[in-house]
Amino acid sequence: MPKTVADVMSRDPIVVRSETSLNEAIQILAERRISGLPVVDDAGKLVGIISETDLMWQETGVTPPAYIMFLDSVIYLQNPATYERDLHKALGQTVGEVMSKDPITISPEKTLTEAARVMHDKNVHRLPVLDESGQVIGILTRGDIVRAMAASQD
């Protein structure tokens, strides 16, 4: 019988709220040696995820989009909305300002094969695991899947 997400996920993951300061989230990530945190609202429903990738904007900054001037008009060569989003992340002070919204999730009864496929296809490193009511009950990382693969070879 194939292993399920529930068999290998980390249960009761540390979560943060949108209003949590970025410094506090960074401290949690560093002290616990984890790379991402689910973000929940007051009811415990998932609203986003904050990861090391989201935090890189704080350190690297943002480059304005390339543009050309033509007849007193500015023509952007890249989408200026992307620049606005990235700038907001670079200047953010709370988790809600920096987090990725609408994260990809998985349910606990899915197989590890299905989870691995979702992670690969969507290029994500972790999947919050939600119960039927939308509550975060666990988190599944690529490392969890690799450890399960290693254990099955023993």
Side-chain angles (χ1 to χ4, degrees):
M1 181 170 181
K3 285 192 175 185
T4 65
V5 169
D7 294 332
V8 299
M9 70 181 186
S10 299
R11 296 181 183 282
D12 302 318
I14 301 166
V15 298
V16 292
R17 299 190 186 285
S18 295
E19 59 273 9
T20 301
S21 77
L22 221 44
N23 288 339
E24 185 179 342
I26 290 168
Q27 286 298 332
I28 293 169
L29 291 171
E31 289 170 5
R32 300 293 180 113
R33 297 182 187 268
I34 54 179
S35 60
L37 294 165
V39 183
V40 297
D41 63 14
D42 292 334
K45 302 275 190 206
L46 185 70
V47 295
I49 196 158
I50 185 161
S51 69
E52 292 169 334
T53 303
D54 297 316
L55 296 170
M56 288 300 104
W57 292 113
Q58 295 283 311
E59 199 61 34
T60 61
V62 181
T63 304
Y67 66 91
I68 56 173
M69 296 289 293
F70 184 71
L71 301 175
D72 291 332
S73 296
V74 176
I75 300 171
Y76 287 100
L77 302 177
Q78 298 168 323
N79 186 348
T82 302
Y83 170 70
E84 292 291 328
R85 183 198 69 219
D86 295 345
L87 182 62
H88 193 71
K89 282 190 174 203
L91 299 175
Q93 296 298 307
T94 66
V95 167
E97 294 171 322
V98 176
M99 71 181 185
S100 297
K101 294 175 175 63
D102 302 319
I104 298 160
T105 63
I106 198 156
S107 58
E109 71 277 354
K110 297 290 187 186
T111 66
L112 280 187
T113 303
E114 291 172 295
R117 186 171 294 117
V118 168
M119 287 179 165
H120 179 266
D121 292 349
K122 302 292 185 177
N123 194 29
V124 295
H125 296 269
R126 74 202 49 78
L127 293 171
V129 183
L130 306 182
D131 65 11
E132 307 82 38
S133 64
Q135 299 288 316
V136 178
I137 58 169
I139 194 155
L140 182 72
T141 66
R142 289 181 176 196
D144 294 329
I145 294 175
V146 170
R147 283 186 289 281
M149 291 166 58
S152 70
Q153 293 179 355
D154 292 341

